[in-house]
């Protein structure tokens, strides 16, 4: 029997709150799967919260291999790291320019006997979780990274760790989204959303689904059609301030990301980033010159040429932490509203994995096993005790 084809289903309309690297990556993924997407942000630039202030290290092994109580997080980090080569190529293709993606790996170095022991335990942890970790004899360390100080006591090469320039990532995401027809609604504070048959935004637009990806900002308030407040079941974000120093690129500068226990160095073509402080429950972006001087001194102890290289600028960002320092990814207590929050130190790394997980859930209702441990409603009494570390039960 012939006849006209069945009418096409209208595209799912999705609003994303937050134009950071996580929100923008989710927008790109949803759009590529046919959704009609708009991104709202209270600011006026892409990634103007913390993303543009990030160091862009994709440090799956360094950050998570040794966190023994965070098995699920290490698995998510590994998966995200594996997505990055293709993700970077996609951003460059759709966004029309480079993201300075590097697969050089990261070096971890020791200056003290205590740090030598720490490197040994990091090596064992990486090996236990199948991250590549190669102990480097000192002469090989010097060959791999000639900028390093001659008096270091040990080195490790994490071949799986990668890096990008987060500023370029944001630019490419913005271009890719504009090109694929995603609405970018800047300067729009979304503090109240009405949930009914659809979700009504303050600008009068309706959506079928909402994704909250606004980092360390409080989530919007959701109300029912008669104005009663609805609970998302989310804890308040935990702000964790981080200060970073940007040093001018220099001829004798490092080529790799270099970590030790209390500082990292992330060389980009525009500058060499040295970070970062970790100041829990601090949401201000004041720069403290003593903290910056301390970062510089620690970096110079690893790479002597950084002692006198000109400082370009310094800044502070507010990482979006959570009560257990793990992300919140998935459906909230309000059906149709999803969280992509709490990415803490690793928003840039996790972004493509979170985008994939959220898109699977928003479009197909599929909950990835990778996200099971990051149920955003896992906290007890989220509204009553927003900063409590109490967790309902974790398979992590
Ligand atoms: N990812 C490095 C930092 O948060 O400082």
């Amino acid at each position: 029997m012939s006849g006209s084809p069945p009418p096409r289903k209208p595209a799912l309309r999705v609003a994303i709150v937050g134009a950071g690297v996580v929100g923008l990556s989710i927008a790109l993924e949803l759009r590529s799967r046919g959704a009609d997407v708009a991104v709202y942000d209270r600011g006026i630039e892409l990634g103007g919260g913390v993303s543009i202030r990030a160091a862009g290290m994709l440090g799956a092994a360094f950050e998570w291999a040794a966190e023994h109580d965070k098995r699920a997080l290490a698995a998510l980090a590994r998966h995200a790291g594996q997505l990055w080569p293709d993700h970077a190529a996609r951003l460059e293709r759709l966004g029309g320019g480079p993201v300075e993606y590097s697969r050089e790996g990261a070096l971890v170095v020791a200056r003290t006997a205590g740090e030598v022991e720490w490197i040994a335990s990091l090596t064992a942890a990486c090996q236990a979780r199948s991250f590549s970790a190669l102990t480097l004899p000192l002469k090989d360390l010097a060959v791999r990274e000639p900028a390093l100080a001659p008096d270091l006591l040990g080195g490790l090469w994490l071949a799986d760790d990668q890096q990008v320039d987060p500023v370029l990532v944001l630019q490419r995401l913005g271009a890719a989204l504009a090109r694929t027809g995603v609405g970018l609604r800047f300067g729009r504070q979304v503090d109240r959303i009405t949930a009914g048959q659809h979700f009504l935004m303050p600008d009068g637009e309706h959506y079928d689904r909402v994704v909250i990806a606004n980092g360390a900002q409080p989530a919007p308030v959701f109300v029912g059609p008669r104005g009663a407040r609805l609970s998302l079941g989310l804890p308040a974000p935990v702000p964790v301030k981080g200060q970073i120093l940007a040093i001018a690129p220099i001829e004798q500068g490092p080529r790799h990301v270099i970590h030790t226990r209390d500082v990292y160095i992330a060389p980009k073509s525009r500058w060499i980033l040295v970070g970062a402080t970790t100041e829990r429950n601090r949401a201000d972006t004041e720069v403290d010159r003593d903290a910056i001087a301390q970062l510089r001194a620690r970096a110079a102890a690893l790479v002597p040429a950084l002692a006198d290289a000109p400082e370009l600028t310094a800044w502070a960002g507010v990482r979006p932490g959570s009560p257990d320092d793990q992300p919140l990814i998935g459906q909230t207590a309000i059906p149709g509203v999803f969280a992509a929050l709490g990415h803490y130190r690793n928003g840039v790394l996790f972004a493509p994995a979170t985008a994939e997980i959220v898109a699977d859930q928003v479009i197909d209702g599929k909950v990835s096993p990778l996200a099971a441990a990051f149920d955003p409603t896992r906290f007890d009494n989220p509204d009553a005790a927003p900063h409590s570390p109490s967790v309902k039960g974790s398979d992590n």
Side-chain angles (χ1 to χ4, degrees), residues 19 40-49 52 184-188:
Y40 289 74
D41 198 282
R42 66 185 185 136
I44 53 163
E45 59 180 342
L46 297 164
I52 208 163
L184 293 172
R185 309 202 191 291
F186 289 122
R188 310 280 180 97

Side-chain angles (χ1 to χ4, degrees), residues 50 53-59 63 240-244 259 264 275-278 319 343-348:
V50 72
R53 297 177 170 82
M57 297 177 297
L58 310 174
E63 292 274 347
V240 186
K241 176 176 171 179
Q243 301 187 49
I244 285 193
H259 301 273
Y264 57 75
T277 63
T278 301
R319 304 178 185 91
H343 289 67
Y344 183 37
R345 298 173 58 91
N346 294 109
V348 184

Side-chain angles (χ1 to χ4, degrees), residues 212-223:
I212 305 169
N214 62 345
Q217 296 303 310
V221 169
F222 282 74
V223 295

Side-chain angles (χ1 to χ4, degrees), residues 31-388:
R31 183 74 194 117
S32 76
R33 299 191 195 189
D36 190 355
V37 185
V39 184
Y40 289 74
D41 198 282
R42 66 185 185 136
I44 53 163
E45 59 180 342
L46 297 164
V50 72
S51 300
I52 208 163
R53 297 177 170 82
M57 297 177 297
L58 310 174
F62 180 78
E63 292 274 347
W64 299 115
E67 296 280 339
H68 298 291
D69 58 337
K70 296 191 167 72
R71 192 159 35 89
L73 202 51
L76 181 68
R78 162 193 299 293
H79 180 64
Q82 288 166 342
L83 292 178
W84 256 101
D86 285 348
H87 185 59
R90 181 191 194 197
L91 291 179
E92 293 189 344
R93 192 177 67 249
L94 294 176
V99 293
E100 285 190 12
Y101 171 70
S102 160
R103 306 186 75 161
E104 288 280 312
L107 297 171
V108 187
V109 297
R111 287 163 305 188
T112 63
E115 286 172 359
V116 170
E117 269 178 41
W118 164 70
I119 286 191
S121 68
L122 178 62
T123 309
C126 285
Q127 286 161 353
R129 287 186 170 164
S130 305
F131 286 107
S132 163
L134 190 70
T135 304
L136 290 178
L138 292 174
K139 65 175 179 13
D140 295 355
L141 185 62
V143 170
R144 191 167 287 275
E145 185 52 89
L148 284 169
D151 57 350
L152 296 173
L153 299 182
L156 178 67
W157 181 43
L158 302 175
D160 294 329
D161 282 1
Q162 312 156 63
Q163 69 160 333
V164 283
D165 182 330
V167 178
L168 295 177
V169 167
L170 291 164
Q171 285 172 5
R172 302 306 159 229
L173 276 167
L177 293 177
R179 188 170 154 187
T180 53
V182 170
L184 293 172
R185 309 202 191 291
F186 289 122
R188 310 280 180 97
Q189 177 81 37
V190 179
D191 39 25
R192 187 181 164 100
I193 299 176
T194 305
Q197 210 181 348
H198 301 280
F199 295 99
L200 172 63
M201 304 296 274
D203 63 0
E205 294 288 333
H206 289 84
Y207 296 90
D208 304 306
R209 306 277 187 275
V210 176
V211 179
I212 305 169
N214 62 345
Q217 296 303 310
V221 169
F222 282 74
V223 295
R226 291 164 196 262
R229 187 167 176 165
L230 307 173
S231 171
L232 287 161
L234 301 178
V238 177
V240 186
K241 176 176 171 179
Q243 301 187 49
I244 285 193
L245 163 69
I247 293 176
I250 46 170
E251 188 101 347
Q252 337 70 298
R255 297 195 310 255
H256 297 81
V257 168
I258 301 168
H259 301 273
T260 192
R261 217 162 17 184
D262 56 7
V263 73
Y264 57 75
I265 302 169
K268 318 285 172 187
S269 67
R270 78 182 67 220
W271 46 34
I272 301 166
L273 298 179
V274 175
T277 63
T278 301
E279 301 166 62
R280 212 170 165 82
N281 293 318
R282 287 279 302 271
D284 64 278
T285 52
E286 294 292 304
V287 172
D288 165 9
R289 292 309 311 173
D290 289 345
I292 297 297
Q294 200 172 51
L295 288 172
R296 160 91 79 163
R298 288 173 182 165
L302 306 182
V303 175
L306 296 182
D308 307 315
E311 174 176 333
L312 293 180
T313 182
W315 62 75
V318 182
R319 304 178 185 91
S322 70
D324 63 2
D325 287 342
Q326 305 200 58
L328 294 85
I329 309 173
Q331 187 156 255
T332 67
I334 302 176
V337 180
F338 299 82
L341 296 166
H343 289 67
Y344 183 37
R345 298 173 58 91
N346 294 109
V348 184
L349 167 65
F350 287 144
T354 298
E356 181 187 80
I357 290 167
V358 170
D360 281 353
Q361 209 171 347
V362 168
I363 304 263
D364 303 320
K366 212 171 84 188
V367 181
S368 162
L370 276 172
F374 308 119
D375 178 345
T377 64
R378 66 185 178 275
F379 299 95
D380 288 324
N381 304 319
D383 302 321
H387 291 284
S388 155

